[in-house]
Amino acid sequence: MDGNNRYAKACGLAVGEGHLAGKDALDPIVEHCAKIGIQVLTVFAFSSENWQRPPNEVALLMQLLEQTIQDQLPRMFRHEIALRFIGDKSQLAPHLQALITDAEAKTAHFNKMTLVIAVSYGGRWDIVNASRQLAKAVAQGELTADAIDECQLAKHLSLSDLPAVDMLVRTGGDYRISNFLLWQSAYAELFFTETLWPDFTSDELDVMIATFVGRERRFGKTSEQIAQTS
């Protein structure tokens, strides 16, 4: 969800108000995804690298995260959406960690859709964290090094119980994925738009989904093999 600061500058808003606008832009997207049958929506709210931003901006983003959780809970209940968080939660304030744990527990039984918020998250961190868990298992004699394969590593990654990413959308005009769900997006269809996140709408998302439906996803196979399978 990129482009909040540039949106604020373009609209002559005060510092930080772009993030407020970005927060408001999320709600209609979440509700639209639930309505059209999207199983999982993962949003990149705060990356591992974002801790390097100015302290006042980081503080504002943490406040907005807390407010987002509080605002989203009633919406999760209304639409029967499970709320999940991924990332290095140890870097978050204790009260924020507690709020996240409580929100996840209260919505865990919903199965219409899962909304995942990535905070203090990085794809490299995710892979390193999974590797560390595998190393501990080997050290404790629970696993041999030869037994480690893609499936074993994938079990220890964030979102291991959810489907792999089908579509990866980046707003704001940058053409990179910036350390987001690196493993999980190995075969994702990539969509980039110049639209700044606060201006991003469900209509634009629908156009992307229509394009996605028309793409041939081969996963290493030939078009002929895909046709035979179909």
Side-chain angles (χ1 to χ4, degrees), residues 56-68:
N56 60 334
E57 184 176 356
V58 171
L60 172 62
L61 289 168
M62 291 298 106
Q63 291 173 9
L64 287 177
L65 175 61
E66 182 175 348
Q67 187 178 344
T68 296

Side-chain angles (χ1 to χ4, degrees), residues 66 92-100:
E66 182 175 348
L92 304 177
H95 78 279
L96 193 50
Q97 294 182 44
L99 189 63
I100 284 173

Side-chain angles (χ1 to χ4, degrees), residues 69 73-74 76-77 80-83 98-110:
I69 297 171
L73 268 180
M76 299 299 100
F77 278 91
E80 300 182 343
I81 298 173
L83 188 59
L99 189 63
I100 284 173
T101 300
D102 181 65
E104 289 180 325
K106 287 180 176 177
T107 62
H109 61 289
F110 293 136

